[in-house]
Amino acid sequence: MSIGHTLLALLESGPRHGYDLKRAFDSRFGHDRPLHYGQVYATMSRLLKNGLVEVDGVEHGDGPERKRYAITDAGITDVGRWLAEPEKPEPYLQSVLYTKVVVALLTGRDADSLLDAQRTEHLRLMRELTRRKVSGDLADQLICDHALFHLEADLRWLEITAARLDQLAETVRP
């Protein structure tokens, strides 16, 4: 996820302090991975340096200065360009699962048990995501659907690999 672009987009509704940006980000996108304050301020510093935001005001108080950031025209253009550019599909051609199966075969370990354990873990996570989806709002439902579809694809791969394990063993063993 492009945190910079997401923070810029949140600024399109009006100027905000870093604290407000973090709260807005976390409430919409950070359910599983909330932003750290340092990450917000480092990103805002970079966006400021690149001319995509400007300081709209500074409040002095008992603590550190509170800068209010506003998106610039260049920032709005940058968000538009980011939204128009399709994301590169992730083909997962360097799969850790595949590597573990091959290493298990190469070292004479039980690849079937590895696949069974991975299947069990995938099914556990799928049950957890399904519970979250049922009780969640629309954003949770969509995020969980995305994850569930990827896990289903992984399960299909696990089944196909288990069915071809003997063939794979013949090709990878010296």
Side-chain angles (χ1 to χ4, degrees), residues 24-35 132 137 139-140 143:
F25 181 97
D26 288 352
S27 73
R28 294 206 186 272
F29 311 107
H31 294 284
D32 296 316
R33 285 187 167 176
L35 287 180
R132 177 177 165 182
D137 61 10
D140 263 349
I143 288 169

Side-chain angles (χ1 to χ4, degrees), residues 142-159:
L142 292 171
I143 288 169
C144 289
D145 279 342
H146 187 264
L148 285 164
F149 293 146
H150 282 274
L151 290 168
E152 286 175 11
D154 284 351
L155 281 176
R156 286 195 311 269
W157 181 86
L158 290 167
E159 295 302 323

Side-chain angles (χ1 to χ4, degrees), residues 1-31 33-48 52-57 66-72 79:
M1 173 187 294
S2 173
I3 293 169
H5 287 110
T6 306
L7 293 176
L8 281 172
L10 290 171
L11 285 173
E12 284 197 34
S13 64
R16 296 182 190 215
H17 296 96
Y19 176 80
D20 297 328
L21 284 167
K22 179 199 175 347
R23 281 194 357 224
F25 181 97
D26 288 352
S27 73
R28 294 206 186 272
F29 311 107
H31 294 284
R33 285 187 167 176
L35 287 180
H36 297 286
Y37 285 105
Q39 192 173 10
V40 172
Y41 293 110
T43 301
M44 296 312 295
S45 177
R46 182 178 46 79
L47 295 173
L48 184 64
L52 302 175
V53 298
E54 60 191 10
V55 175
D56 186 56
R66 289 188 51 185
K67 293 178 184 173
R68 188 175 55 242
Y69 298 96
I71 191 169
T72 63
V79 170

Side-chain angles (χ1 to χ4, degrees), residues 52-148:
L52 302 175
V53 298
E54 60 191 10
V55 175
D56 186 56
V58 178
E59 295 175 11
H60 303 281
D62 294 337
E65 294 180 338
R66 289 188 51 185
K67 293 178 184 173
R68 188 175 55 242
Y69 298 96
I71 191 169
T72 63
D73 289 341
I76 293 169
T77 300
D78 198 53
V79 170
R81 189 178 9 235
W82 175 65
L83 290 173
E85 185 177 302
E87 287 298 308
K88 181 181 176 189
E90 295 291 334
Y92 303 109
L93 293 177
Q94 294 298 321
S95 169
V96 174
L97 290 176
Y98 173 76
T99 302
K100 283 185 164 189
V101 170
V102 171
V103 167
L105 293 171
L106 285 171
T107 60
R109 290 182 171 88
D110 186 2
D112 278 315
S113 293
L114 183 152
L115 292 170
D116 287 341
Q118 192 62 55
R119 187 180 304 106
T120 299
E121 183 59 19
H122 270 62
L123 291 170
R124 183 202 61 75
L125 182 55
M126 290 176 81
R127 285 190 297 275
E128 182 181 314
L129 289 169
T130 301
R131 280 191 298 274
R132 177 177 165 182
K133 179 181 162 181
V134 168
S135 63
D137 61 10
L138 180 58
D140 263 349
Q141 292 169 12
L142 292 171
I143 288 169
C144 289
D145 279 342
H146 187 264
L148 285 164

